[in-house]
Amino acid sequence: MTDKNNKVKQWLKRELSPFYPSVYIISVLSVAGTVLALAFAYLVRYLVNSASQNDKELLIYFAVILLSIIILRIILQTISSYLSEKCSIKITAALRQKAFGKILYSNFSELERYHSGDFLTRLTSDVAEIASSTVTLLPAVLGMAIQITGAIIALFTLDWIFTVIFILGAIIVGVITVFFRRKLKLYHKQSLEADSLSRGFIQESILSTLTI
């Protein structure tokens, strides 16, 4: 089973390698958007201070900067969403084409062990999930890492005791997540198997109805 999983991982890595540059670009855009969000949150207080001090020049200055950040974030988010959707669609189409080609040219003795519902699940739900994970996982991890780092730095400048409590709480949540990760993977696998069975049942029911 391990050798089979390794072969599948190697095949996926080989098929997904042409899309890695696009994923890296999306990751850079995600990090840039997160940095801009942190900068916006940091500069808002200067806008409030200038308003409370009735300093019109500083108020206009920081208002222009914050407006520029908002516009830049919208542009980056638009480009990132466009590239994500485009990359996800290309990955889905490429994997489905490869997998469907392998099914067509496989030996019948190997195919008859599986139900057609299994093939439909692999070509639809599984492929869509692989595409989504490939496109979103790295940008999400990098963006969250930058956001957590910025939050820790900001909190440390305010109150280091609260920052230590925050870090300890984050570590506890991480440990709990790792503990339940295996269970979640098992439940996810069972849900996909149930989806495969339901697809097979629906397909056979429709075929039987048409035959009758």
Side-chain angles (χ1 to χ4, degrees):
M1 191 69 177
T2 305
D3 293 337
K4 185 178 179 181
N5 290 336
N6 290 334
K7 288 181 179 179
V8 172
K9 290 178 180 178
Q10 291 175 359
W11 180 80
L12 284 174
K13 187 177 181 179
R14 184 174 64 253
E15 296 299 329
L16 294 174
S17 58
F19 304 100
Y20 287 160
S22 297
V23 175
Y24 296 150
I25 294 174
I26 296 168
S27 301
V28 171
L29 293 175
S30 176
V31 170
T34 304
V35 171
L36 288 175
L38 292 173
F40 182 87
Y42 181 76
L43 293 174
V44 163
R45 65 175 183 175
Y46 292 101
L47 180 69
V48 174
N49 290 338
S50 59
S52 62
Q53 295 172 3
N54 200 20
D55 192 336
K56 292 184 179 180
E57 291 185 2
L58 278 179
L59 180 64
I60 295 174
Y61 176 75
F62 284 111
V64 171
I65 292 177
L66 292 175
L67 181 61
S68 301
I69 291 175
I70 292 173
I71 294 173
L72 188 56
R73 283 191 65 195
I74 292 173
I75 294 173
L76 291 178
Q77 185 63 39
T78 303
I79 297 173
S80 178
S81 299
Y82 170 76
L83 292 177
S84 297
E85 289 297 325
K86 184 178 180 180
C87 186
S88 179
I89 291 171
K90 284 186 175 182
I91 291 174
T92 301
L95 290 181
R96 283 178 180 172
Q97 183 180 4
K98 290 284 186 178
F100 189 64
K102 285 186 174 292
I103 292 172
L104 291 179
Y105 291 100
S106 297
N107 294 326
F108 180 76
S109 59
E110 297 177 355
L111 295 178
E112 63 180 355
R113 293 181 298 175
Y114 303 97
H115 194 277
S116 57
D118 294 330
F119 294 127
L120 287 174
T121 302
R122 302 296 175 263
L123 292 172
T124 53
S125 300
D126 290 5
V127 169
E129 184 156 351
I130 291 171
S132 177
S133 299
T134 302
V135 173
T136 60
L137 184 59
L138 182 61
V141 170
L142 291 178
M144 186 173 293
I146 297 295
Q147 193 169 6
I148 291 174
T149 303
I152 290 174
I153 294 173
L155 288 174
F156 192 80
T157 58
L158 296 174
D159 188 349
W160 69 270
I161 297 178
F162 182 77
T163 305
V164 172
I165 296 174
F166 175 80
I167 294 174
L168 291 176
I171 293 173
I172 293 173
V173 171
V175 171
I176 293 174
T177 303
V178 171
F179 179 75
F180 286 104
R181 181 172 175 269
R182 192 169 296 178
K183 281 284 185 181
L184 292 173
K185 287 180 67 177
L186 178 62
Y187 291 149
H188 181 66
K189 184 178 179 181
Q190 290 176 350
S191 68
L192 291 178
E193 291 175 352
D195 182 57
S196 175
L197 292 173
S198 65
R199 286 175 186 268
F201 175 76
I202 292 171
Q203 185 182 17
E204 289 184 355
S205 299
I206 293 174
L207 288 175
S208 299
T209 302
L210 294 174
T211 303
I212 294 173

